[in-house]
Amino acid sequence: MDFKDQILQLAARVEKLLPQLKTEEATKNALIMPFIQVLGYDVFNPFEVNPEFIADIGIKKGEKVDYAIMKDGEPTILIECKHHLEKLDPHNSQLFRYFHTTKAKFGLLTNGLNYRFYTDLDEQNKMDTTPFFEFNITEIKEAEIAELKKFHKSYFDVESITNTASELKYLNELKTFLNKELITPSDAFISFFTRQVYAGVLTAKVKEQFGPIIKRSFNLLISDAINERLKSALNQEKQLEAAEAETIAGEPAPNIVTTEEELEGFYIVKSLLRQNVDAKRITYRDAQSYFAILLDDNNRKTICRLYLGSSKQYLVVLDENKKELKYEIKTLDEIYGYAETLLEAVGKLEKGKK
């Protein structure tokens, strides 16, 4: 399972667990420790994740941070945890006070739902009051997963993250500013855009007239952008369907070569499913980018897809929205470990038929 799948799997569990988490300690154990594990760190190895890390402040000794992610014996990320119902406020957090006493370059403040990453962009060795990267794990987006991946143990590089932190910080601040202005445009915002199209004197009445027009203009712009993306996605889906339609009952279309590896994967899937399904109903169609295994030779009844022949190989099933759920496999033999997943996929297709 790749990093994206692991994060999405954790996100799916979070809301189910919340009613049971009555304390900060429960939040740490159920939400935050699994998150640190997804980042590739061993939470049970104090050389990697040091719990209750001591960060002395002047004459105050024995002050502790919930976790410190360690590298070469020094902390690189300080993590302060709160109960999931508690709001995050860096001004009142111990993290804000401890940051300058250690060699850590990053601070993470979290309640298991919201994650805020800080560094020292404004003043060296003093933690910024605003995060450079922030997300809610139950609403995490593709772009946020890509940024979060930089903190994974396998990819972690202080210089690389620091170089992009400034851009991320101001990007987020501008996004917040624009969102606020689009909901309730300020006088300065209205004046700026009105001047671009209106040559007359900007009286209070003119600005009052242009306020709703500017707001509608931005809403239309956003709506058009969304529609364009939807069109693009639909066109891609049509192209995939056309590629699938070019194949007939296991006979590859021109320029598509079915490999021995793909056939071996097909026979493994077929052997796993024949206990529940007539083997004759399990067929395949080879497409340009993947190898599809179907029920009843129907490309709308995809049991799974195999992405083989590259450095990373995947077994893929489709959810109810036809979205791909990817499972990374190192060898074809690992398909045997997904027997229940494949049987469940067939079960859903059979249920749909009924």
Side-chain angles (χ1 to χ4, degrees):
M1 192 181 298
D2 65 13
F3 179 73
K4 177 185 171 184
D5 292 331
Q6 287 179 303
I7 283 292
L8 293 177
Q9 188 179 72
L10 176 61
R13 290 179 58 230
V14 167
E15 290 190 86
K16 296 175 185 175
L17 295 172
L18 293 182
Q20 302 302 317
L21 308 180
K22 307 298 183 185
T23 65
E24 182 182 302
E25 198 63 29
T27 300
K28 286 158 66 174
N29 291 336
L31 305 183
I32 300 167
M33 284 176 67
F35 173 81
I36 296 171
Q37 284 180 309
V38 170
L39 290 180
Y41 297 98
D42 182 355
V43 294
F44 302 109
N45 180 356
F47 290 104
E48 285 194 13
V49 181
N50 195 326
E52 299 291 304
F53 181 77
I54 296 175
D56 293 332
I57 306 174
I59 60 171
K60 291 183 99 177
K61 303 295 181 183
E63 294 289 314
K64 297 174 181 177
V65 182
D66 290 304
Y67 300 104
I69 292 179
M70 311 294 289
K71 186 176 182 182
D72 301 325
E74 296 288 350
T76 57
I77 306 174
L78 299 179
I79 304 175
E80 185 183 348
C81 308
K82 302 292 184 185
H83 184 259
H84 68 86
L85 292 176
E86 195 171 340
K87 290 186 177 180
L88 302 179
D89 185 355
H91 299 284
N92 298 328
S93 87
Q94 292 169 304
L95 189 64
F96 192 72
R97 301 197 300 273
Y98 298 161
F99 187 84
H100 72 281
T101 69
T102 72
K103 293 184 179 180
K105 188 63 178 174
F106 304 105
L108 170 58
L109 182 60
T110 180
N111 58 9
L113 289 172
N114 296 298
Y115 288 81
R116 295 180 179 177
F117 288 83
Y118 297 84
T119 188
D120 55 352
L121 294 172
D122 297 334
E123 189 177 336
Q124 195 167 5
N125 295 325
K126 183 179 179 182
M127 193 179 90
D128 299 336
T129 56
T130 56
F132 68 88
F133 177 43
E134 178 179 5
F135 65 89
N136 182 314
I137 196 164
T138 62
E139 301 168 358
I140 193 163
K141 302 174 180 66
E142 292 266 356
E144 291 168 339
I145 293 175
E147 289 299 331
L148 180 60
K149 192 173 182 177
K150 294 176 183 176
F151 288 91
H152 191 281
K153 181 183 173 183
S154 302
Y155 310 101
F156 185 79
D157 180 80
V158 171
E159 189 176 348
S160 173
I161 298 173
T162 305
N163 288 341
T164 58
S166 178
E167 182 183 338
L168 270 176
K169 178 184 177 183
Y170 296 120
L171 184 70
N172 289 329
E173 288 181 1
L174 281 168
K175 189 171 73 172
T176 302
F177 165 76
L178 287 171
N179 187 54
K180 183 180 175 183
E181 290 288 354
L182 292 179
I183 294 170
T184 311
S186 65
D187 186 75
F189 192 82
I190 293 170
S191 297
F192 174 80
F193 284 101
T194 304
R195 283 195 184 98
Q196 311 309 310
V197 295
Y198 183 75
V201 179
L202 289 187
T203 63
K205 186 175 181 181
V206 169
K207 285 189 279 189
E208 185 181 350
Q209 177 189 351
F210 268 88
I213 295 173
I214 291 167
K215 190 173 177 179
R216 282 180 60 202
S217 297
F218 274 98
N219 286 336
L220 283 170
L221 184 67
I222 293 166
S223 178
D224 288 346
I226 291 170
N227 286 334
E228 281 301 312
R229 292 194 69 178
L230 285 172
K231 271 187 198 174
S232 176
L234 286 170
N235 285 336
Q236 285 181 1
E237 190 174 332
K238 285 177 182 177
Q239 287 172 8
L240 281 174
E241 286 182 356
E244 287 177 343
E246 286 178 354
T247 61
I248 306 170
E251 293 180 13
N255 303 322
I256 297 176
V257 178
T258 301
T259 65
E260 289 185 14
E261 193 178 24
E262 287 171 332
L263 288 174
E264 186 181 344
F266 168 68
Y267 291 124
I268 290 173
V269 172
K270 194 171 184 178
S271 68
L272 290 171
L273 298 178
R274 66 190 309 155
Q275 57 181 299
N276 286 46
V277 185
D278 185 346
K280 292 177 183 177
R281 296 179 63 198
I282 304 168
T283 59
Y284 69 82
R285 295 190 189 183
D286 201 353
Q288 196 73 47
S289 57
Y290 58 80
F291 181 84
I293 300 176
L294 312 172
L295 187 65
D296 299 329
D297 192 26
N298 186 336
N299 61 15
R300 296 188 181 279
K301 293 185 179 181
T302 300
I303 298 169
C304 68
R305 292 171 180 169
L306 298 177
Y307 288 82
L308 306 174
S310 60
S311 57
K312 284 197 173 183
Q313 303 187 124
Y314 297 96
L315 167 73
V316 169
V317 294
L318 306 181
D319 66 13
E320 51 275 3
N321 298 315
K322 301 298 180 184
K323 184 179 178 183
E324 290 190 338
L325 302 175
K326 290 186 175 181
Y327 302 96
E328 188 175 352
I329 53 174
K330 304 292 184 187
T331 66
L332 289 175
D333 284 343
E334 290 185 22
I335 295 174
Y336 287 104
Y338 293 96
E340 286 188 18
T341 302
L342 294 167
L343 287 166
E344 185 180 339
V346 170
K348 287 178 181 177
L349 294 173
E350 293 285 71
K351 188 177 179 182
K353 180 181 175 184
K354 290 175 185 176

